[in-house]
Amino acid sequence: MSSNIPFPRLQPAVEQGPKQILPDLNIRLICPDCKNPVPNIIEEFASGDLVCGDCGLVLGDRIIDTRSEWRTFANDEGDDPSRVGAAADPLLDGSQLDTIISRRDGGSGTARDLNKVHGRANAVKGEKNLVQAYKEIAAMADAIGLTRLIADIAKQLYKRVEEEKLLRGKSTESIIAACIFIACRQENVPRTFKEICAITRVPKKEIGRCFKTLIRTFETNVTTMTSEDLMSRFCSRLHLRMETQKAALDLTITTKSLGTLEGKSPVSVAAACIYMASCLYNQPQSTKDVSQVTGVSEVTIKNSYKLLYAEREKLLGDKKY
């Protein structure tokens, strides 16, 4: 049951016994008269019968029509396949079959007032807050160029947090920021804490607390962010050539293997390697420009670069730039 729930709670390890023997579900329906190994079964939705297409024997009745329901609301004759009702939103609870009164009535204002009264009477408790949170998640995802898939994952996680009442006392903005951060990590689209802080205006420590709580509570497939994951996006923002980007990536890998910048964050390592690679390929970038793109302070970039420059012979080897 928990496999159908997005972000289920972490369960303690339980010793598994012998596997249960399940019945064979590979059962084929054939006509008892024809006994054709390749049956020709026809579903007649108009009559609600299941009929053999070869001999016409009725094999079943009262079958359910699973096709889409269509109705025509056009003023003129013709095809106007308008779907009956909107598609259900899995992120919202309830039947979602509420009637909505139009706000247009020719300018008298009566329909607008009826729409407000009807909306207040049929408002589902808690659903209004969910809808507002979903709008904020979608807006923040668009602001930093995230896909709709990542936004939907963040919405699912936010809904689970609301259902479990897990982060009581925390602001909605901090919960949304943590959900977006986890969704990015889960889909291998890394974003730094500073990038999330910039769009949500939530302190880094507050996002970190919510992030750790959610990771300990729910099953998530969160991967560790590395400097290589950030390299392509940072180089593109700085308009660096492809050879410069490749050199920065090679520097990052060599730096990790030698432990030159051991203890530095992945963002700091990426910023220092990009700065050094841009200088090697005569496409120098100022520490201010690199700092604005990566979110790393200029002092950190300079100090990290000094460590790289001191080990330049080991890092570059026989490569000619």
Side-chain angles (χ1 to χ4, degrees), residues 224-235:
T224 304
M225 183 177 64
T226 62
S227 304
E228 294 90 328
D229 298 331
L230 304 169
M231 196 64 65
S232 177
R233 186 157 51 88
F234 288 163
C235 290

Side-chain angles (χ1 to χ4, degrees), residues 88-216:
D89 190 350
L91 298 173
L92 297 177
D93 299 323
S95 60
Q96 303 178 29
L97 297 176
D98 300 334
T99 301
I100 300 176
I101 299 177
S102 176
R103 299 172 67 91
R104 299 179 181 178
D105 60 352
S108 65
T110 305
R112 184 177 64 253
D113 296 337
L114 289 173
N115 180 276
K116 290 182 179 180
V117 174
H118 185 266
R120 293 171 184 171
N122 294 334
V124 180
K125 185 179 180 181
E127 187 172 300
K128 185 176 181 181
N129 295 333
L130 275 178
V131 173
Q132 183 62 31
Y134 293 160
K135 290 181 180 179
E136 293 181 10
I137 291 174
M140 292 178 184
D142 291 338
I144 56 176
L146 299 178
T147 62
R148 184 177 178 181
L149 174 61
I150 297 176
D152 290 341
I153 293 175
K155 292 175 183 178
Q156 290 178 348
L157 181 56
Y158 181 85
K159 184 180 180 182
R160 291 286 293 141
V161 173
E162 288 296 308
E163 290 175 350
E164 298 284 342
K165 304 295 181 184
L166 188 62
L167 296 174
R168 288 184 178 180
K170 301 293 184 181
S171 63
T172 304
E173 290 77 11
S174 60
I175 300 175
I176 290 175
C179 292
I180 293 176
F181 187 75
I182 292 176
C184 291
R185 288 285 186 90
Q186 185 162 316
E187 292 300 315
N188 295 322
V189 183
R191 292 294 185 272
T192 62
F193 272 115
K194 289 187 177 181
E195 289 178 297
I196 302 297
C197 292
I199 60 171
T200 58
R201 298 180 182 179
V202 178
K204 180 180 177 181
K205 292 184 178 179
E206 191 68 21
I207 300 177
R209 293 191 189 101
C210 296
F211 171 77
K212 292 179 180 179
T213 303
L214 297 180
I215 290 299
R216 289 194 302 263

Side-chain angles (χ1 to χ4, degrees), residues 20-27:
Q20 182 182 2
I21 300 177
L22 301 177
D24 186 9
L25 299 180
N26 296 324
I27 300 176

Side-chain angles (χ1 to χ4, degrees), residues 258-273:
L258 295 177
T260 306
L261 297 179
E262 189 174 359
K264 298 288 185 182
S265 66
V267 187
S268 301
V269 175
C273 291

